[in-house]
């Protein structure tokens, strides 16, 4: 147990509910915050309502609770961002600026900012996308994450703020439903499969995307945040890879457990977003700098997801 006090923004979401649980195992105190009320998946984690667009409230909380590290997860994801571009820009960009500014002024020791494969666009090589390459995002969400990465590097270089970041692939998990993203199909599909329903997939069957199972995403985050400062060479955001697959691949894998399961394909506006993203990621820098190595592939992920969704877990 460390003596750190951790504050998580956007903690009610798919990632925050899982990170809160993991962080509580290693740090003395974890304060989950969100714009909305606490969700059951946070269990008995200490919770405060907090809008990241209110920097004074953020500052008051950090000061009064002696917060030493901030995990800034609050954001609008890619699909919602295309429908609400102003909201996405405001929350994602101004919310991050507020966090970086307040953390600098109050001398918070370390900050985590999640970026995304969404920073990449059509001009990026889409197989084994390198760390350093063309970055011309197609979505408002991607633009906000690209700007966010650059702000992180700017605060590190100019203000000495130790802010660290990864570009997550699509995250797969069972504790909290995914919402508002383009990779959400890879979570939704399990619920229909287990319920015996036909799944209506919003991407074409052969659309390959990089994905990661939540335990790997949590481990990567903790590993990066624990890594010695001098070992980190990337201060925008680290590429991070799990495994890649298309909807038809996950359907085939689920059918090994549930042979009757059926999917129909009705691509919508998210198809274009997915096609602008990489199919696979080269994460050599993460491997070299902080020994990153994922544990889960597609078959292990599907087996674990089905086991947890079939037998509802207690919180
Ligand atoms: P999510 O949508 O599940 O959760 C986001 C949370 O932010 C929600 O609980 C929402 O209420 C909260 N929020 C929104 N506006 C807020 C505000 N003004 N103040 C405080 N809270 C606010 O998202 P997630 O999947 O948990 O993603 C967390 C972070 O990880 C995001 O920054 C996202 O861009 C990034 N990320 C996620 C994925 C993924 O596949 N889930 C992949 C890449 C990057
Ligand atoms: C989304 O689809 O918007 C997210 C992401 C990959 O950033 N899951």
């Amino acid at each position: 147990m460390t003596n750190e006090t951790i504050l998580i923004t956007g903690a009610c979401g798919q990632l925050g509910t899982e990170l809160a649980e993991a962080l509580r195992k290693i740090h003395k105190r974890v304060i989950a915050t969100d714009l909305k009320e606490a969700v059951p998946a946070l269990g008995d984690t200490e919770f405060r309502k907090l809008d990241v667009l209110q920097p004074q409230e953020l500052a008051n909380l950090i000061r009064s609770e002696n917060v030493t590290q901030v995990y800034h997860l609050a954001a609008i994801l890619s699909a919602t961002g295309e429908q609400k571009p102003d909201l996405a820009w405001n929350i994602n960009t101004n919310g991050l600026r507020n966090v970086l500014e307040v953390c600098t002024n109050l001398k918070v020791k370390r900050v985590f900012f999640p970026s995304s494969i969404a920073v990449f666009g059509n001009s990026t090589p889409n197989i084994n996308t390198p760390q350093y390459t063309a970055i011309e995002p197609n979505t408002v969400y991607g633009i906000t994450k690209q700007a966010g990465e650059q702000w992180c590097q700017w605060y590190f270089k100019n203000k000495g703020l130790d802010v660290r970041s990864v570009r997550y692939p699509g995250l797969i998990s069972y504790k909290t439903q995914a919402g508002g993203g383009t990779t959400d199909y890879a979570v939704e599909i399990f619920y229909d499969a287990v319920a015996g329903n036909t799944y209506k997939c919003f991407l074409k069957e052969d659309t390959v995307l990089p994905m990661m199972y939540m335990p790997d995403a949590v481990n990567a985050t903790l590993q990066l945040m624990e890594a010695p400062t001098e070992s980190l060479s990337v201060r925008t955001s680290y590429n991070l890879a799990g495994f890649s697959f298309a909807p038809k691949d996950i359907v085939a894998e689920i059918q090994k457990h549930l042979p009757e399961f059926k999917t129909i394909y009705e691509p919508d506006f998210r198809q274009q977003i997915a096609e602008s993203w990489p199919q696979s990621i080269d994460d050599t820098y993460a491997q070299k700098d902080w020994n990153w190595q994922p544990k889960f592939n597609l078959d292990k992920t599907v087996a674990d997801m089905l086991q947890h969704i079939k037998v509802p877990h207690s919180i």
Side-chain angles (χ1 to χ4, degrees):
M1 260 307 160
T2 74
N3 270 333
E4 306 282 326
T5 297
I6 311 292
L7 184 144
I8 309 172
T9 73
C12 291
Q14 191 193 1
L15 180 59
T17 48
E18 306 256 2
L19 259 183
E21 187 182 343
L23 287 165
R24 286 180 68 189
K25 292 186 180 139
I26 49 178
H27 299 296
K28 192 182 75 179
R29 191 167 171 213
V30 174
I31 307 170
T33 73
D34 203 288
L35 188 59
K36 59 187 184 197
E37 299 291 346
V39 291
L42 280 172
D44 61 357
T45 307
E46 186 177 347
F47 182 83
R48 309 288 175 86
K49 262 186 107 170
L50 178 74
D51 180 352
V52 293
L53 295 177
Q54 302 298 328
Q56 198 51 54
E57 286 175 23
L58 174 66
N60 291 344
L61 188 54
I62 289 179
R63 202 183 285 111
S64 65
E65 304 308 322
N66 293 318
V67 169
T68 55
Q69 296 189 21
V70 172
Y71 285 68
H72 172 50
L73 311 183
I76 300 295
L77 274 70
S78 58
T80 306
E82 287 312 279
Q83 287 155 342
K84 298 177 179 169
D86 293 336
L87 181 74
W89 178 258
N90 196 17
I91 291 178
N92 295 9
T93 314
N94 296 327
L96 173 64
R97 279 296 308 284
N98 290 341
V99 168
L100 295 174
E101 197 56 31
V102 168
C103 289
T104 301
N105 293 338
L106 297 182
K107 303 202 176 346
V108 168
K109 268 203 309 212
R110 203 161 283 173
V111 176
F112 176 73
F113 166 67
S115 186
S116 163
I117 52 163
V119 296
F120 301 116
N122 291 316
S123 60
T124 306
N126 71 351
I127 309 284
N128 284 330
T129 299
Q131 177 71 42
Y132 296 105
T133 183
I135 294 195
E136 294 188 294
N138 247 31
T139 57
V140 175
Y141 174 68
I143 296 169
T144 67
K145 290 295 183 186
Q146 179 189 26
E149 291 185 1
Q150 296 301 323
W151 275 119
C152 289
Q153 178 163 257
W154 189 87
Y155 272 85
F156 172 71
K157 285 187 173 165
N158 296 288
K159 305 280 185 177
L161 182 67
D162 187 1
V163 43
R164 304 176 177 199
S165 175
V166 291
R167 294 171 178 152
Y168 290 121
L171 302 181
I172 301 174
S173 66
Y174 55 83
K175 197 169 171 184
T176 301
Q177 275 277 12
T182 302
T183 57
D184 293 1
Y185 90 85
V187 178
E188 291 170 1
I189 195 166
F190 287 97
Y191 291 87
D192 275 331
V194 167
N197 299 333
T198 296
Y199 178 63
K200 191 166 89 179
C201 184
F202 57 76
L203 296 183
K204 291 183 189 163
E205 63 172 356
D206 55 358
T207 310
V208 176
L209 285 169
M211 301 276 189
M212 179 173 282
Y213 197 34
M214 189 58 87
D216 276 335
V218 167
N219 281 340
T221 310
L222 300 183
Q223 257 177 267
L224 171 64
M225 289 299 274
E226 302 292 301
T229 305
E230 59 280 6
S231 67
L232 303 182
S233 62
V234 177
R235 287 296 183 161
T236 47
S237 189
Y238 278 94
N239 274 9
L240 190 67
F243 49 95
S244 294
F245 60 85
K248 65 176 182 199
D249 303 320
I250 195 168
V251 169
E253 195 56 45
I254 292 172
Q255 283 169 336
K256 288 186 192 163
H257 303 260
L258 300 166
E260 306 298 314
F261 175 53
K262 289 196 176 38
T263 303
I264 54 168
Y265 296 92
E266 290 185 10
D268 65 17
F269 73 100
R270 289 169 280 193
Q271 181 64 32
Q272 206 187 351
I273 301 177
E275 282 174 11
S276 76
W277 289 353
Q279 294 188 15
S280 56
I281 299 287
D282 175 353
D283 63 3
T284 307
Y285 282 82
Q287 292 175 37
K288 268 199 339 232
D289 289 2
W290 39 279
N291 300 318
W292 165 243
Q293 213 50 254
K295 292 197 174 71
F296 283 86
N297 57 17
L298 180 60
D299 25 317
K300 277 193 189 168
T301 298
V302 168
D304 203 60
M305 282 290 285
L306 286 174
Q307 201 189 346
H308 282 96
I309 292 174
K310 268 187 193 163
V311 185
H313 55 291
S314 55
I315 293 161

